[in-house]
Amino acid sequence: MNPTIELLKSHRSIRKFTDQPVSAALLTALVEAGQAAATSNHVQAYSVIHVKNPDNRQKIAELAGGQDYVASSGAFLVFCADMKRPTDAAEAAGARVVRGMTEQLLVATIDVSLMAQNMATAAESEGLGICYIGGVRNNPQAISELLELPEHVYPVFGMCLGYPAHQPDIKPRLPVSAILKEDTYRADQEAVEVFDNTMQDYYQARKGGNKEASWSTNLAPLFDSKLRPHMRDFLVKRGFEMK
């Protein structure tokens, strides 16, 4: 494997960081690397909020479900899907802009996700660790108000950045046979069952035999109730009417 593939396959979420700050120059370079990601029609429908205020970081840590590393990481970023800037620009150029389309929501969400993953890889290439924080969607309205996000902008996830103070084991992934299909979709329950055994072994080793779980059993709480049911109404209020 070449070094890039080796780097990508070595990813793990980091939740303990040293006190070493992330320099402004490095953060700028990471954002530039993020901007190099593919973007639909060159729309670049994203904005990144670097949350430096310690009180705000602590508030977000609490709003995101009590994730203390939001406050303690070297830097904390909130990645936003941003349809305000491109639609405002199009309007200024004379377009009769139609806002609130489902496709606009998809474009902005995909754009910011691609941008963030580029930044994550660039950060890890510089010796930083990262952890995505989907918990910002637990209380997206409060976080939007805290960050003064305008209409047509919403927080998709956060990212902790910093120099790792630990190196957890790499969490196994599904086998390629479960993911890669030829010509048509085919379910592969056998691959899932094999992966469940792999994850049981992983959790047993990581927790010293104190955790009985598999991939499938960990999914159960995510799908036996409505997860973040507030998101639809929140997105509509943000101007993403999903027409």
Side-chain angles (χ1 to χ4, degrees):
M1 292 185 295
N2 66 47
T4 301
I5 294 176
E6 289 178 356
L7 174 67
L8 290 167
K9 294 181 70 172
S10 70
H11 167 73
R12 75 284 310 272
S13 293
I14 300 299
R15 295 178 174 86
K16 297 178 182 178
F17 300 91
T18 70
D19 294 333
Q20 183 177 353
V22 178
S23 71
L26 178 54
L27 183 58
T28 296
L30 297 181
V31 172
E32 290 173 342
Q35 290 181 272
T39 168
S40 180
N41 290 303
H42 204 51
V43 173
Q44 303 174 81
Y46 42 66
S47 287
V48 183
I49 311 297
H50 179 199
V51 185
K52 299 177 70 173
N53 182 299
D55 291 338
N56 287 352
R57 285 182 63 169
Q58 186 58 48
K59 288 175 185 175
I60 294 173
E62 295 165 3
L63 290 167
Q67 301 188 64
D68 293 340
Y69 29 93
V70 168
S72 62
S73 58
F76 181 68
L77 310 174
V78 177
F79 287 81
C80 302
D82 184 350
M83 265 295 161
K84 175 176 171 54
R85 182 174 55 243
T87 54
D88 284 356
E91 197 165 54
R96 295 181 179 179
V97 171
V98 178
R99 293 181 169 87
M101 301 299 294
T102 300
E103 178 65 7
Q104 293 173 1
L105 172 63
L106 290 172
V107 164
T109 303
I110 293 167
D111 265 17
V112 74
S113 298
L114 294 174
M115 190 256 190
Q117 189 56 31
N118 254 34
M119 282 188 64
T121 301
E124 290 175 340
S125 77
E126 287 289 328
L128 296 172
I130 73 103
C131 184
Y132 282 103
I133 306 296
V136 300
R137 298 191 304 279
N138 291 355
N139 291 284
Q141 183 60 42
I143 289 176
S144 295
E145 292 170 1
L146 189 69
L147 302 180
E148 300 181 10
L149 302 183
E151 192 177 30
H152 305 296
V153 178
Y154 89 93
V156 184
F157 45 73
M159 182 188 288
C160 296
L161 277 173
Y163 292 91
H166 71 148
Q167 285 294 334
D169 292 338
I170 297 171
K171 188 174 287 188
R173 297 300 198 256
L174 283 159
V176 172
S177 62
I179 304 299
L180 181 62
K181 318 291 182 181
E182 292 187 5
D183 294 322
T184 59
Y185 185 97
R186 285 182 172 82
D188 190 348
Q189 185 57 33
E190 183 178 347
V192 171
E193 291 171 359
V194 170
F195 187 61
D196 276 339
N197 291 330
T198 299
M199 289 306 299
Q200 284 177 343
D201 293 342
Y202 166 80
Y203 286 125
Q204 285 285 306
R206 195 179 77 170
K207 298 294 186 179
N210 292 324
K211 183 172 181 177
E212 286 285 344
S214 69
W215 182 68
S216 296
T217 57
N218 278 344
L219 291 180
L222 300 178
F223 297 105
D224 66 3
S225 62
K226 294 181 179 180
L227 184 63
R228 297 186 180 119
H230 55 265
M231 282 302 298
R232 187 183 186 283
D233 288 344
F234 165 75
L235 288 169
V236 170
K237 290 176 181 177
R238 288 273 104 193
F240 295 98
E241 298 174 34
M242 292 175 277
K243 302 172 186 174

